[in-house]
Amino acid sequence: VEVAGDIGARIERLVQEHYPWGGDGFLPRPAGGAPECIAQLKAWIRHRVAPYGRAALTLIALVRPILDDLDQQVQQVSGRRWLARVDALAIVKEPQSVLEKMAREWKDEQGAPPIGFDSFTRDIRDLGRFRIVANFLSDVERITQALEMPYDQRTATTCSSTQRDLATEFALDGHSFEDSIEIDPAERKKGERCRKGIFLPRNGHAQLHVEVQVQTQLQESWDKKDHFLLYEPRRLGVPVSPQHEREMFAMSELLFVADLTFDRLRTAIQGDGGDGGVTA
Amino acid sequence: MRLRNEALRTGRLLAWFDDERRKNQGLIFLVSGADDIDRLGRIEAACEAALERFGRDRFEWHDVADQTDLSSVDPLFDPSGLTRVEAAEFIDLDEEELLTVLGAATDRMRRLEPQLFPRAGGAVGSPAQGIQLLARDTELGRVEDELEVGHSVQLLAPRRSGKSSLMLELERRLAPASLYLDVERPYTPKHLAAHAAKLALGRSPLAAMEDADRRGWQAVLDDVLVELSRRGPGWSVLLLDEPQALLESIARSPMGGPEPALDVLRDISACCSSHGVRMVVAGSVDLHEVVRRRWDIRRLPGLFGELVPFRLSPLDTSTTELRSVLVGSGLVLDVGDASWLQAHVDLSLPYPAMRFLDGLVGEVRRRGSLTHAELDTELERFLDDTDAFRDIERRAIARAEESRDVLGATRRVLNRLVNDDAGTMPLTELQAEFEALGGQSGEHLSWFEATFPVVRQGSAVYLSARMFRQWWERQAGW
């Protein structure tokens, strides 16, 4: 708790010393002490972050029909089964998380913070975000391919109208999703596994980037447990036991093996006619 | 113009829950693409301003990825209390208009009203009630203020402009110490008292009639007003709709004449006064003028002589009420549709406007969407076929049978108003048209103003209803 107080103290210093109080587009310094400043600042951050949530919501509206198309294709091949759901419960980053991220990145407290109040909306890439949680590991790949397809010149012409709508309204940063699932063991630094893409509206709001993660239920399950057990204490500055870190990392590997096995079983049971043959 | 796409899956939900989270209301703004980012921002700002103004207790925002799975947003949310709109429906409204349209909706959410927006088919042909009573809050408040200080009020407005609806809303607001009586049918005082006894005391009309025969209609009405004054902790009110019809009915009866008619008014007034009951009378013609012209009587008896005149303005013809009706009816405007509506449709005469919009809903549902050319065609067809103006036409024909000259003056004035770009003419010239008829010129003018949607404003008179104007043009001025 004492160490947790450190991140609190760091946020307080960050706010008092580096928020441009009274500047153009910024809040005037409120009467009262640090709690009043932080309370008002959180409302200001919430206001600044809200458009990212709206961008994420409109992106969901474009992604949903693509998932519906895939769902239909899968059902035609392998009968009724669940494909994926969109998790929009935390569509914007909370102001407290924004402040903590800024404070964590501020390693040299003598210097200016690398993420400033004038640039945090640009520097923090997941202010607007949502997850697509899929059933099988191959579903993650199938969904990712379907979302990447309209951005690839080789496949763009064979896209469905829903995919074309997506590409008309949003750009995909780098034309592809990052892959933290298929990483060589020597390069893997953390247990998080997902495909991650950054989408940018094309209608003059390119600054409103939205992070989309595609992962399996087991990967999401690992993430939610890691978030609660290790990530939260870590972000508050509480020391985390290396043994716990190792075990948590191993659990990610274990669940990856489970995902691989489930996919192999599905193929074995359904044979070549299984929905593994479905393409976006 | 097209129908709302309620099948869109994703949107931003404004939800209201009661204290125990057992009852809820929700308004979801459905989105379809990146253009909705700004639209949602404006909508949220307007809703937030409304909540700031009216109180944000128990309101909450939710992001909804799939409106068919609202339980993932909140397992206690009951989707039957959900109103679906598209964020795109509000694009051309400015901030103040958005606040007006959405502020009223949030207020209704808080009151758990089942309908958040008025709809075109909601009150076609019958008095508008509740949400369907458009844009009369200010006037209702002013009438209530007059009653509060002990005055009785006379509401004046042309036919079909919503007087009865307003009277019924007053009755609802002032319940249980209020009673609305529609006197437009050919009543005798005995019928009136028996009808009142049926409504207020639950008596059978036949028994009440027999009672009136025995004790006199005044005694039966007295019973009613005693009951009315007992109901409220403060004052109570009797609402009489079109009482001039009662006077004319008495005047036409074999024993009729000014004295019996005035006696009836005197007795009604005495009953009200003795129990502290206030009155609101409504009519298209000023009661004072009716007795002055018919019998040359200068003063009405009792409370009728003290009625505070209250002239109902034409219904708000700004875009917000019309837009609320469109939202309630599920009609979504395409580019340029707002200008088309502004040019052709208004709510000054709510009945024809709501009839037309109700027809449009059916047509859009049938065809999927309507272009401007198709909207023009629909309007022309409506104006040619509608009976929505039949009441006006019937009154004009009846008057024409009495005097061809009145019809001629009416035609000249209406043609002039219709052909004027702003739809106005000097009041003095209007008066001169009818004065030229000689004789009962004042009565003819009064009839004209009560029959047609014309409004005096300073030294001018103007045509308040665009739909009537177009209808008149289509009729080629009779």
Side-chain angles (χ1 to χ4, degrees), chain B residues 62-126:
Chain B
H62 294 278
D63 297 301
V64 179
D66 184 353
Q67 60 144 326
T68 63
D69 181 25
L70 282 168
S71 61
S72 66
V73 173
D74 188 318
L76 294 177
F77 188 84
D78 172 10
S80 66
L82 181 65
T83 300
R84 297 165 177 86
V85 297
E86 285 182 43
E89 291 178 43
F90 306 93
I91 41 177
D92 58 305
L93 294 183
D94 66 28
E95 283 172 23
E96 199 53 41
E97 289 167 338
L98 257 181
L99 178 59
T100 306
V101 173
L102 296 176
T106 58
D107 200 35
R108 290 176 191 125
M109 288 173 72
R110 184 184 291 110
R111 287 190 262 123
L112 278 175
E113 289 186 19
Q115 205 181 320
L116 302 187
F117 302 95
R119 62 190 169 83
V124 171
S126 56

Side-chain angles (χ1 to χ4, degrees), chain B residues 283-353:
Chain B
S284 47
V285 195
D286 187 341
L287 216 48
H288 297 83
E289 287 198 26
V290 171
V291 296
R292 187 168 59 81
R293 295 210 176 100
R294 187 174 274 280
W295 299 304
D296 197 26
I297 290 169
R298 299 283 161 185
R299 184 167 175 78
L300 288 165
L303 290 178
F304 288 95
E306 298 162 12
L307 291 171
V308 174
F310 191 95
R311 198 167 278 279
L312 274 187
S313 56
L315 206 59
D316 177 15
T317 52
S318 68
T319 53
T320 50
E321 278 300 321
L322 187 55
R323 292 307 296 273
S324 292
V325 172
L326 293 178
V327 173
S329 309
L331 289 175
V332 182
L333 303 185
D334 289 322
V335 176
D337 285 350
S339 311
W340 186 92
L341 275 173
Q342 185 68 23
H344 296 95
V345 183
D346 67 319
L347 294 167
S348 293
L349 291 178
Y351 178 61

Side-chain angles (χ1 to χ4, degrees), chain A residues 50-51 53-55 57-58 60-62 64 68 86-89 91-92 169-170 201-203 205 208, chain B residues 9-12 29 31-38 40-42 44-45 62-66 72-73:
Chain A
R54 291 179 202 124
L57 204 59
T58 61
I60 291 172
L62 291 161
R64 269 237 70 95
D68 289 344
V86 174
D87 180 351
L89 291 178
I91 207 164
V92 287
E169 303 209 22
F170 278 83
R202 292 193 198 269
N203 64 344
H205 287 305
L208 299 178
Chain B
R9 304 267 287 275
T10 305
R12 188 107 160 106
F29 299 96
V31 296
S32 59
D35 284 344
D36 289 324
I37 296 172
D38 285 338
L40 269 185
R42 295 180 67 239
E44 282 181 42
H62 294 278
D63 297 301
V64 179
D66 184 353
S72 66
V73 173

Side-chain angles (χ1 to χ4, degrees), chain A residues 73-101:
Chain A
Q73 290 173 28
V74 165
Q75 286 195 34
Q76 277 170 7
V77 175
S78 59
R80 191 170 176 78
R81 78 163 178 85
W82 178 73
L83 176 77
R85 66 179 159 80
V86 174
D87 180 351
L89 291 178
I91 207 164
V92 287
K93 206 172 185 72
E94 283 298 309
Q96 178 67 24
S97 298
V98 171
L99 287 173
E100 285 172 7
K101 172 131 184 126

Side-chain angles (χ1 to χ4, degrees), chain B residues 224-403:
Chain B
V224 169
L225 297 180
V226 167
E227 166 61 19
L228 211 57
S229 59
R230 196 180 291 152
R231 285 181 188 172
W235 46 273
S236 42
V237 61
L238 180 67
L239 301 125
L240 297 176
D241 200 355
E242 303 280 359
Q244 78 274 12
L246 179 66
L247 292 184
E248 282 164 12
S249 162
I250 296 166
R252 279 198 299 270
S253 68
M255 302 291 286
E259 278 314 314
L262 291 180
D263 284 347
V264 168
L265 295 187
R266 195 172 289 117
D267 290 345
I268 293 174
S269 168
C271 284
C272 287
S273 295
S274 62
H275 301 295
V277 175
R278 285 139 212 202
M279 280 196 307
V280 179
V281 301
S284 47
V285 195
D286 187 341
L287 216 48
H288 297 83
E289 287 198 26
V290 171
V291 296
R292 187 168 59 81
R293 295 210 176 100
R294 187 174 274 280
W295 299 304
D296 197 26
I297 290 169
R298 299 283 161 185
R299 184 167 175 78
L300 288 165
L303 290 178
F304 288 95
E306 298 162 12
L307 291 171
V308 174
F310 191 95
R311 198 167 278 279
L312 274 187
S313 56
L315 206 59
D316 177 15
T317 52
S318 68
T319 53
T320 50
E321 278 300 321
L322 187 55
R323 292 307 296 273
S324 292
V325 172
L326 293 178
V327 173
S329 309
L331 289 175
V332 182
L333 303 185
D334 289 322
V335 176
D337 285 350
S339 311
W340 186 92
L341 275 173
Q342 185 68 23
H344 296 95
V345 183
D346 67 319
L347 294 167
S348 293
L349 291 178
Y351 178 61
M354 296 296 245
R355 283 276 300 272
F356 172 63
L357 292 173
D358 193 35
L360 270 191
V361 174
E363 207 49 38
V364 174
R365 188 164 285 139
R366 199 168 66 79
R367 291 199 240 168
S369 65
L370 291 176
T371 63
H372 283 189
E374 288 167 333
L375 284 171
D376 285 337
T377 307
E378 285 307 310
L379 180 61
E380 284 167 12
R381 187 179 302 161
F382 172 79
L383 294 171
D384 289 344
D385 299 344
T386 185
D387 60 358
F389 298 99
R390 186 170 290 167
D391 190 40
I392 292 177
E393 199 168 26
R394 203 172 47 230
R395 285 168 64 84
I397 290 167
R399 181 59 59 138
E401 283 171 1
E402 292 173 21
S403 163

